[in-house]
Each structure stands twice: as structure tokens, then as C-alpha cells.
Amino acid sequence: MKKLVSLFLIVGILFSVSICGCITESSHIKETEKIEGSKLTLSKPKNDNKKVKNVILMIGDGMGITQTYLAERYKEEIENGHLVILTNFKTRGTITTYSLSSEVTDSAAAGTALLSGYKTNNGMINILPNGSIPRKTLGEIAKEKGKSVGIVTTTRVTHATPASVYAHIKDREEEDKIAEQLLEFEPDVVLGGGLEYFIPKDEKGSKRKDNKNLIEEFKKKGYTIVYNKEELEKVNPENTKKLLGLFSMSHMAYEIDRENIPEYQNQPSLAEMTKKALEILDKNPNGFFLMVEGGRIDHACHAHDAKSEIMDTIAFDEAVKVALDYQKKHPDTLIIVTADHETGGLSIGRGTGYYANITALKPIDASIGFMSKEILKNPNKEFVLNLIKTYWHINLTDKEKELLFKYPLTSKINDSNLLNNYPKINHYVHCWAGFALSEIESRRANIGWTSFAHTAVPVPVYAKGPGEEMFEGFYDNTDIPKKIEQIWT
Ligand SMILES: [Zn+2]
């Protein structure tokens, strides 16, 4: 309880600081109006003292305020620490996220809003339904200004959010085409997953429909290519002009699996990728634009997997810390941390009880995604109970066993009592056992979920750097790139 009180104190102090910030800002505006009122010609642009050279846009995919707060409470209870997202930004805002086609956005339309500043239909990236492209992306604007561009993500680098830096396409599913657009765009640094869209059709694991070898094409353009953590570590920024790192066939592992399961330990963390990207981008005297995505927070929430959500949010927070450390040494850098939408309708507390037990999540050391894939390979009762013991370090109660074995483990069956008429098992849960495990996990912590998709709940914005006060208040996601453009030199 003491810790909770201290958190409230911190929040309270931060809040009063930001109120002070508001007062200063409004008196500043009045000052400007006075000058304009007296018809003095202003030779300098309005925000002359807020020149931004570098922009780091960090997107927690699906990271609503509850996702962040759940990770904060876990970090406080288990690790005795705090998230830098919640403690190191005095400037905060809130944005709406609806798309052109729906109250509830997907990541393609939200990525378009955050990178290009306009609304489009769900599923579309940086293009209007009529095929026109009204505004450039922040990535394209950076290139025009002679700046470097970096893209860092834990998803496939062709997935909706990273693609919003460089792609223009009506269907986000056409990732083989998006990979070609990435080659054409030529960012200076690209780090993430998604090798399957870069290798020819005939190669094992390829998802391409043709025999193009994009890896060879990137090599021809002078890229250094790396495939694992060690190779990334060895990259010397001094003699590396362009860097492509593809660390998995599809998305990179959930942070919880990367930490605990040997086969994923050769993948770098989001913080490590962010650090390397900054070292390379920093060499351009004109500055850079870097987009960093914590992409699997969203997937964990689609799967109703609270522990994986927490670990990926903490990993994202560690990448934010890397950016903040860079900003300290390079104060002409603006950092914006936000989300594209909330996922899952996550709540802390559910049903009729006035409690939550976040500590119950502590022993869980593997994602629902990992567990259900293992169960699909070996759907045997004893194996499954052992798997739970090995990776979750818990013994199921009789009630929990009853739920887990209610239907065949690998079946795609739904249970309308539990699933709220959920039509089928989604691909983040994989099978009935995956869903049952997500219920067991959530019930132990008394964590609630209202959706298997995204919600329209507004999401927070955190800003640090020159002009940060422009990002205060309640506004729309399309305003973020517009605000950045106003102060970006
Ligand atoms: Zn999603």
C-alpha cells in the first residue's frame, strides 16, 4: 500500500508540474497575440525556440493506459521499479483513434494517421479509398529534408505499423508487395522480423508468391544484413551505412519467450535494436526520423495474455529509456511515445469482486502462443499438465482442470458461455487449450477482457524535447504528424 501511495504522489507531482507547464504556455500564446495585434512583422517563425532536428516516434501497438498501468503495477510489485513512460515525461496528451471506416481502428488506418496525418479505411496504409495520397509520411518528409530514416519493430517489418513509415497500399495483407516498397524506399536502418517476405518462393519458409530474392536486392543497394543478436552486436556503426536485420521468419518472439525459451534467445531485445539504430542514424549531420514499435503488446492482448502484455510493455519501456538517454545528450531530439489503439478492452478487476491479484502472474514464464503451439504438437493430458508445471510453475486446481479439458485440447470450438459468442478461436490463441489457459491466467489475476479485437478507447501521448508542450491536451491521432511537421527543421 505504501508503494501505491508513493506512486500516487509521483503522479500528483507530475500532474501539478504539467499544469504549471500549461500556464506558462498560455501566457506565451497571449504574448504572441499581443505582438501580432500590434501588427509587428514577425520575421522569425512562431516556434523558433523549438527547433527539432531528430524525431523518435515510439508506438506501443495496442498499448492503452490500462496496458501501461498493469505493467507499471507489475514492475512495482515484483521488480520494485517504475516504468520510465509513466515517470520521465511531464508532458502528456490524449488522442482519439477512430478511422475513416470505423469507430474502432485497425493498425493500418491508425498507422496512416500517426505517420501521415489523415484518416483512411481500416486495412489501408497511407492511401485513401479512392487511391489518392493526400499527404507524405514522416519517413518521406525526413528523406526530403536529407535526414536518415530508421524502422525498428518486434513484428514483421512489413506489418501495418512499420509499413506506415514507407508503404502506400490498399490492402495491408499484401506484405510481399510491401517488402518491395521497403526496398524502393531504402531506409537507413530496418530491424525486426519478417524474413519470410524477403526470400524466394522456393526457399523453405517463404511467404512470397514469386521467386524474387529481396535479400540479394538489399545487398546490391549496399545493406549490411544481420540475422541474430550476435551479428547485430558486431555491427560497427562507424563503417555501416545501411543496415537490415531480420531476426525471425514472421514476428519476433514475445519478450516473455525471448527471455525464457532457449530457441528465441538469439533474438535481440527492442532496446538493443533501438540502441544500434540510434548509433547509425546519429551519423547524419542533418538528423533522422526513427520509428520504434513495441508490436507484440497488441498480439498479447488479442490472446488475452496478461503476462505477455506486461513483459512486452516493459521491453518497450526499456527501448523508451534508450531514446530518453539519447535525448539527454542530444536535446534537439523530440520523442513522442503513444499507441495506435487499445486492444482487448483490458481491465484490472472483473466480475463482482473488488480486487486484482497481479502477483499471481509472477510464475508464468511462457506466452499463451508458445504454450498452445506446444499443445498442438503433443495434445496429451499428461504432457499438457507437465508443460504448465514447467513453464508456468503452477498446479491447476480441479476447477481449472475441468475448464482446460472441457473440449478436445486442439479443437477450434468456441464456448458461447465463456467466449461471448466469439465466432472462432483466433490465431493468437491457436486452439481451445490456448483459450482455456488465457482464462485461467486472467481469473487468477482477476484481469478482465471485453474484446478479442481493438477498442475505440482514446490512448495517451507522452512527449519530450523541443516543442513538447504542443502535445498536451485532448486531440486526434492525425494531429501528431502535423504538430511534428510544424517544429521539424
Ligand atoms: Zn491488433
Side-chain angles (χ1 to χ4, degrees), residues 110-128:
T112 303
L114 291 173
L115 272 301
S116 289
Y118 58 93
K119 299 284 185 193
T120 191
N121 287 358
N122 284 359
M124 298 188 180
I125 298 172
N126 296 322
I127 195 161
L128 285 172

Side-chain angles (χ1 to χ4, degrees), residues 270-436:
L270 189 61
E272 287 162 348
M273 293 193 286
T274 304
K275 191 160 184 282
K276 189 64 82 178
L278 284 169
E279 285 167 6
I280 293 173
L281 299 171
D282 181 57
K283 295 191 301 177
N284 186 338
N286 294 326
F288 62 82
F289 172 70
L290 171 62
M291 195 290 301
V292 178
E293 184 202 23
R296 306 223 66 195
I297 300 166
D298 171 68
H299 300 166
C301 293
H302 279 287
H304 292 183
D305 183 352
K307 182 65 183 285
S308 295
E309 182 280 314
I310 289 169
M311 299 319 282
D312 264 86
T313 302
I314 292 174
F316 178 68
D317 190 67
E318 279 158 12
V320 173
K321 182 165 188 311
V322 170
L324 283 168
D325 289 344
Y326 180 87
Q327 204 274 342
K328 246 185 230 162
K329 291 183 210 126
H330 305 85
D332 48 4
T333 302
L334 173 67
I335 303 173
I336 304 290
V337 181
T338 189
D340 50 355
H341 50 74
E342 195 274 346
T343 302
L346 170 63
S347 70
I348 302 171
R350 66 186 269 170
T352 53
Y354 286 71
Y355 77 98
N357 181 12
I358 295 163
T359 320
L361 300 169
K362 189 182 175 206
I364 295 174
D365 277 340
S367 70
I368 298 279
F370 171 82
M371 299 291 276
S372 50
K373 274 188 205 160
E374 290 298 303
I375 293 168
L376 283 174
K377 281 187 249 167
N378 197 350
N380 152 314
K381 221 171 166 176
E382 283 317 301
F383 172 82
V384 172
L385 290 174
N386 245 322
L387 188 77
I388 294 168
K389 242 187 218 160
T390 309
Y391 289 101
W392 282 22
H393 313 285
I394 57 171
N395 290 310
L396 297 189
T397 63
D398 288 344
K399 228 177 145 193
E400 287 169 337
K401 278 183 200 160
E402 201 183 298
L403 173 68
L404 179 61
F405 300 118
K406 189 172 177 180
Y407 299 106
L409 292 163
T410 59
S411 66
K412 304 282 178 191
I413 197 165
N414 73 38
D415 182 328
S416 55
N417 291 327
L418 274 179
L419 299 175
N420 209 2
N421 294 320
Y422 180 46
K424 62 180 191 317
I425 297 291
N426 76 25
H427 60 279
Y428 298 107
V429 180
H430 302 290
C431 57
W432 166 257
F435 177 76

Side-chain angles (χ1 to χ4, degrees), residues 240-259:
T240 306
K241 274 193 88 176
K242 286 181 174 166
L243 178 64
L244 172 65
L246 294 170
F247 305 106
S248 59
M249 286 307 253
S250 179
H251 302 308
M252 290 176 69
Y254 285 111
E255 180 64 15
I256 191 174
D257 297 337
R258 199 187 71 82
E259 283 179 16

